[in-house]
């Protein structure tokens, strides 16, 4: 089920939702939050530029 196809509908509202996400994984220490976010951020914008409502994984762009 997707909320895009099945919006949340109330008496006075209709909410249609989609999700775009950028993902970066790291399997070896040291883990650095700033570096992980810096790698995931371009993947997020890639997902948005290429149709939205999808997940893009850094390293696969």
């Amino acid at each position: 089920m997707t909320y895009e196809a099945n919006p949340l509908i109330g008496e006075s509202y209709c909410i249609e939702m989609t999700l775009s996400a950028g993902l970066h994984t790291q399997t070896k220490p040291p883990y650095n939050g700033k570096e992980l976010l810096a790698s995931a951020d371009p993947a997020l914008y890639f997902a948005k530029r290429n149709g939205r409502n999808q997940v893009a994984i850094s390293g696969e762009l």
Side-chain angles (χ1 to χ4, degrees):
M1 177 177 97
T2 66
Y3 288 109
E4 182 178 24
N6 301 291
L8 299 173
I9 300 173
E11 288 184 30
S12 61
Y13 62 87
C14 176
I15 301 173
E16 297 175 351
M17 292 182 273
T18 63
L19 173 78
S20 296
L23 178 66
H24 175 83
T25 60
Q26 184 172 332
T27 58
K28 297 179 183 176
Y31 303 110
N32 180 314
K34 287 183 180 184
E35 289 177 11
L36 291 173
L37 286 175
S39 294
D41 197 47
L44 167 63
Y45 287 101
F46 178 87
K48 288 183 174 188
R49 278 192 313 272
N50 289 283
R52 297 184 176 262
N53 204 23
Q54 60 183 296
V55 176
I57 301 171
S58 68
E60 294 184 4
L61 306 178

